[in-house]
């Protein structure tokens, strides 16, 4: 069992920055997450995978829509994954979620939500002019 808690969302003007955090914990060593991905979902839209990272190995992978503006990173000592979001646009407004799985990340496949069993409650990001 893996627990995820997101934080860091809020309201920001276009062009601004936010840093989201995803604190993770696992009940056992074998259930620890190896891949964590950030997703978002805007009202009336489907869930979009943004960035994934292999815990312990790095190798971040990004969706084309954010790769020049967002940066995913992790701190294994703090058991946290971060999403630094720069140059925010109105269309970045959404609920942001982190999701985890024990299987390692695998490029673009890691941005699809079907293989993630563990999800946080989400943190809202609102970008306004």
């Amino acid at each position: 069992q893996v627990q995820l808690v997101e934080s860091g969302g809020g309201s920001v003007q276009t062009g601004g920055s936010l840093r989201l955090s995803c604190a993770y914990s696992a009940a056992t060593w074998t259930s620890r997450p190896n891949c964590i991905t950030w997703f978002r979902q805007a009202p009336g839209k489907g869930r979009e995978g943004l960035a994934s990272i292999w815990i312990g190995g790095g190798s971040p992978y990004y969706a084309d829509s954010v790769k020049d503006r967002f940066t995913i990173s992790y701190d294994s000592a703090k058991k946290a994954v971060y999403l630094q979001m720069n140059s925010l646009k109105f269309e970045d407004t959404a609920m942001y979620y982190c999701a985890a799985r024990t299987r390692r990340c695998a490029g673009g496949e890691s941005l699809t939500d079907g293989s993630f069993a563990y999800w946080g409650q989400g943190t809202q990001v609102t970008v306004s002019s």
Side-chain angles (χ1 to χ4, degrees):
Q1 193 76 2
V2 176
Q3 292 188 328
L4 304 165
V5 179
E6 301 96 335
S7 61
S11 296
V12 65
Q13 292 188 324
T14 54
S17 298
L18 281 174
R19 187 195 194 206
L20 305 184
S21 298
C22 171
Y24 62 86
S25 62
T28 64
W29 174 254
T30 56
S31 65
R32 72 194 186 283
N34 281 297
C35 180
I36 290 182
T37 295
W38 282 98
F39 292 85
R40 69 183 177 190
Q41 187 165 21
K45 294 188 177 181
R47 198 151 47 191
E48 177 187 13
L50 304 174
S52 65
I53 195 161
W54 170 25
I55 304 300
S59 300
Y61 191 90
Y62 298 93
D64 289 342
S65 59
V66 302
K67 65 181 180 181
D68 295 327
R69 300 184 295 123
F70 292 7
T71 301
I72 190 171
S73 61
Y74 74 93
D75 185 330
S76 56
K78 295 183 178 179
K79 294 185 179 179
V81 172
Y82 307 101
L83 187 68
Q84 177 67 42
M85 306 187 297
N86 299 326
S87 302
L88 284 163
K89 305 174 182 179
F90 175 77
E91 51 264 40
D92 293 319
T93 296
M95 185 71 79
Y96 284 69
Y97 302 89
C98 60
R101 70 188 191 194
T102 56
R103 185 160 56 90
R104 289 182 179 180
C105 297
E109 180 274 339
S110 307
L111 300 185
T112 59
D113 58 5
S115 65
F116 288 86
Y118 306 105
W119 293 79
Q121 82 291 348
T123 186
Q124 177 68 37
V125 172
T126 302
V127 184
S128 59
S129 58

